[in-house]
Amino acid sequence: MRKTIKAILVGVFAISAITACEKEPDSPPINTITGSQLITIDSLKGWQRSVGDAILITDTLSVYGIVTMDESNGNIYKNIYFQDHTGAINVRFTSGTDLVQGDSIRIGLTGVTLNNFNGVYQLDGVEEATNVVVQSAGHDLPAIAATIDQMETAYAAYLADEAIVDFEYQSMLIKFNNVQFKTSELLNTYADEITQSSENRLFEDFDGFTTFIRTSGFANFAGDSLPKGAGSMVCLVSEFNDELQYILRSPEEANMHGPRGPGELLVKDFNDE
């Protein structure tokens, strides 16, 4: 069992020169986290999987990546999603952050806990002021095209042998095409903004496969009506207690304004003929 991780040389995102002490998107704060060994998200996940328990990182390690989801719209709180060229991970902070989607950042991991909460790999206890350096802004990553069936198949393989196999899409930014909210959901809003209760909303693709997005009642779009057409959806992949769930970054990325297609009922009726 490994107790420490050796330095892993990886390609990193561009680093802006330190020209001022002000904390701006393209200018690091005073803390520059110098002298850290670099590690990838994939290696962090492998370390946690091999140990099995939460790991308090005491080595001087850093990981680079892009913020793929921030907390600005209230759908997540005190955490972000963070992706590099090897994978993605959820990052939980001790307080709210000023980080925004598209920020290229470096996270110093000394004092941070690496754990797995209900199946989701996390970096926990991160202090923005002392652990994070913003390198530059505006790096929106493209979403990976996927289907509901593809995601379910990959997740089933992971559950069958999760001690060895990782679920490669976890916390990644993906895009579903040819999807629509189920007819039974069309009178609903994303969540309950009055009681601030989180809700799951079922959507389906044209092949009849169904899954759901989960939206916080604190999201600033919780009270928005669900789109009634069909189209595409960009979202983050998560899971809870051996079940996949998806998180919407903004209602604009539920781009379902085209004509509705065949859903679960229509596909079943067609197959029964």
Side-chain angles (χ1 to χ4, degrees), residues 10-269:
V10 298
V12 298
F13 298 95
I15 304 175
S16 300
I18 301 174
T19 58
C21 291
E22 295 180 4
K23 186 177 179 183
E24 299 174 352
D26 59 353
S27 179
I30 295 173
N31 174 23
T32 57
I33 317 176
T34 58
S36 296
Q37 299 173 353
L38 304 183
I39 190 168
T40 62
I41 291 174
D42 178 62
S43 296
L44 284 170
K45 290 181 175 181
W47 186 18
Q48 201 286 324
R49 186 172 64 249
S50 68
V51 173
D53 297 322
I55 303 166
L56 177 62
I57 300 174
T58 57
D59 294 337
T60 307
L61 301 174
S62 287
V63 59
Y64 284 85
I66 303 294
V67 177
T68 52
M69 183 176 182
D70 60 45
E71 57 179 308
S72 59
N73 65 20
N75 202 19
I76 56 177
Y77 177 56
K78 294 200 297 187
N79 70 101
I80 62 169
Y81 284 85
F82 175 70
Q83 186 170 322
D84 70 4
H85 66 287
T86 70
I89 196 167
N90 182 232
V91 183
R92 302 188 67 82
F93 291 82
T94 57
S95 60
T97 81
D98 295 324
L99 298 171
V100 299
Q101 178 183 317
D103 279 348
S104 174
I105 64 174
R106 180 182 184 182
I107 302 177
L109 300 177
T110 307
V112 171
T113 299
L114 172 65
N115 62 25
N116 185 303
F117 178 73
N118 286 319
V120 178
Y121 290 103
Q122 297 179 337
L123 293 171
D124 200 4
V126 179
E127 297 273 358
E128 183 179 3
T130 56
N131 291 108
V132 178
V133 176
V134 177
Q135 303 295 323
S136 56
H139 302 276
D140 283 335
L141 294 180
I144 299 171
T147 66
I148 296 174
D149 181 46
Q150 176 185 353
M151 299 299 294
E152 293 289 344
T153 300
Y155 190 61
Y158 158 70
L159 291 179
D161 202 357
E162 59 185 287
I164 298 175
V165 179
D166 253 337
F167 179 50
E168 60 181 312
Y169 297 102
Q170 187 188 99
S171 299
M172 295 284 282
L173 187 65
I174 66 165
K175 181 178 183 180
F176 291 117
N177 291 306
N178 298 323
V179 291
Q180 61 198 10
F181 284 101
K182 288 181 64 65
T183 303
S184 59
E185 297 279 19
L186 294 184
L187 296 180
N188 290 324
T189 57
Y190 283 100
D192 191 332
E193 68 172 346
I194 296 175
T195 64
Q196 296 181 315
S197 300
S198 300
E199 298 286 353
N200 297 331
R201 299 302 185 208
L202 290 170
F203 66 95
E204 61 188 2
D205 63 20
F206 292 178
D207 292 321
F209 294 101
T210 302
T211 187
F212 66 89
I213 62 165
R214 183 169 180 82
T215 304
S216 169
F218 293 94
N220 60 13
F221 60 92
D224 291 1
S225 298
L226 299 177
K228 295 177 172 55
S232 64
M233 181 189 296
V234 174
C235 52
L236 271 294
V237 184
S238 187
E239 59 180 284
F240 187 79
N241 287 341
D242 295 343
E243 185 176 27
L244 280 177
Q245 62 183 20
Y246 300 95
I247 304 171
L248 196 62
R249 295 193 299 184
S250 75
E252 287 75 20
E253 291 187 322
N255 186 18
M256 303 179 190
H257 306 295
R260 289 178 67 84
E264 183 178 23
L265 294 179
L266 290 178
V267 170
K268 286 183 177 179
D269 290 344

